Amino acid sequence: PPDQIGRLGQLQEWLEDVDEPNDTHRHCSHLVGLYPGNLIGPYSTPTLAAAAKISADWRGTGDIGWGKAWRIGLHARLQNADYAWLIHTNMLARDVSTNLMFTDVKNRQIDGILGSLGSVAELFLQSQAGELFLLPALPQAWTNGFVTGLCARGGFQVDLHWQGNKLASATVLSRLGHTCRIR
């Protein structure tokens, strides 16, 4: 079914409008269009993005590694930088094994770690609809820094440097010779 906004302003998870605000289940399948997909976004579909934010907020910070990783990406796409940062730091403090390879739950989930890496990259760079969005969700805690070698859709490699929470410089290399728009 198409995306629908429910009686409480949320992006409906079910065909019927039965979602409840206290549902903190780790699954967020109804939010795939926001992240990792690109059917929902603050600029392309602002009404659906607002509804998706309500649903993501209801889900909370996640209970296990891959659920937390998914939430980091959801909030990065919603440009909710500091909440994404909170989830990321909670995951690092509570759920990561000493070798940094697995989330520390009984079934040793590597998808939590790998998913969080992809979601954290979304804080620095998002590439959708032929556009590169530089530092779309930079947390306040990362006042100064840099990242190199990020890969974007369309064959672009991006290096970023920021100071005072603002972009200081960027290098965009087109590996395929294409042009792009930059936000």
Side-chain angles (χ1 to χ4, degrees), residues 38-97:
N38 62 1
L39 299 175
I40 300 172
Y43 297 103
S44 60
T45 57
T47 303
L48 287 177
K53 182 181 183 320
I54 291 170
S55 294
D57 287 347
W58 286 358
R59 288 297 207 236
T61 58
D63 61 353
I64 60 174
W66 64 265
K68 289 180 181 179
W70 196 349
R71 282 158 177 76
I72 296 166
L74 290 169
H75 287 283
R77 288 279 177 92
L78 291 166
Q79 300 169 15
N80 194 358
D82 292 323
Y83 196 68
W85 169 250
L86 172 71
I87 298 167
H88 176 63
T89 57
N90 283 344
M91 184 174 178
L92 289 176
R94 298 182 182 145
D95 300 319
V96 177
S97 62

Side-chain angles (χ1 to χ4, degrees), residues 4-183:
Q4 300 179 90
I5 297 174
R7 72 192 185 288
L8 301 173
Q10 84 284 8
L11 187 66
Q12 284 183 212
E13 181 174 8
W14 308 102
L15 184 58
E16 298 82 22
D17 189 3
V18 296
D19 303 328
E20 293 297 332
N22 61 352
D23 184 356
T24 59
H25 195 277
R26 65 189 164 276
H27 292 202
C28 296
S29 300
H30 59 306
L31 299 173
V32 165
L34 174 63
Y35 182 80
N38 62 1
L39 299 175
I40 300 172
Y43 297 103
S44 60
T45 57
T47 303
L48 287 177
K53 182 181 183 320
I54 291 170
S55 294
D57 287 347
W58 286 358
R59 288 297 207 236
T61 58
D63 61 353
I64 60 174
W66 64 265
K68 289 180 181 179
W70 196 349
R71 282 158 177 76
I72 296 166
L74 290 169
H75 287 283
R77 288 279 177 92
L78 291 166
Q79 300 169 15
N80 194 358
D82 292 323
Y83 196 68
W85 169 250
L86 172 71
I87 298 167
H88 176 63
T89 57
N90 283 344
M91 184 174 178
L92 289 176
R94 298 182 182 145
D95 300 319
V96 177
S97 62
T98 55
N99 67 5
L100 299 178
M101 287 300 297
F102 300 97
T103 52
D104 212 5
V105 294
K106 64 183 173 184
N107 61 351
R108 310 298 276 179
Q109 298 177 346
I110 196 167
D111 53 347
I113 294 298
L114 298 178
S116 69
L117 294 173
S119 291
V120 167
E122 291 281 329
L123 299 172
F124 301 121
L125 173 68
Q126 294 177 18
S127 58
Q128 299 174 24
E131 178 179 89
L132 304 182
F133 193 173
L134 310 181
L135 301 179
L138 185 66
Q140 289 294 314
W142 288 339
T143 307
N144 302 310
F146 68 93
V147 63
T148 60
L150 291 174
C151 296
R153 288 175 183 84
F156 298 99
Q157 180 179 318
V158 180
D159 300 340
L160 302 169
H161 177 252
W162 62 92
Q163 292 181 313
N165 292 102
K166 296 191 185 307
L167 183 65
S169 66
T171 303
V172 178
L173 172 65
S174 176
R175 297 235 177 242
L176 303 175
H178 297 157
T179 59
C180 67
R181 292 188 326 257
I182 295 178
R183 179 182 294 271

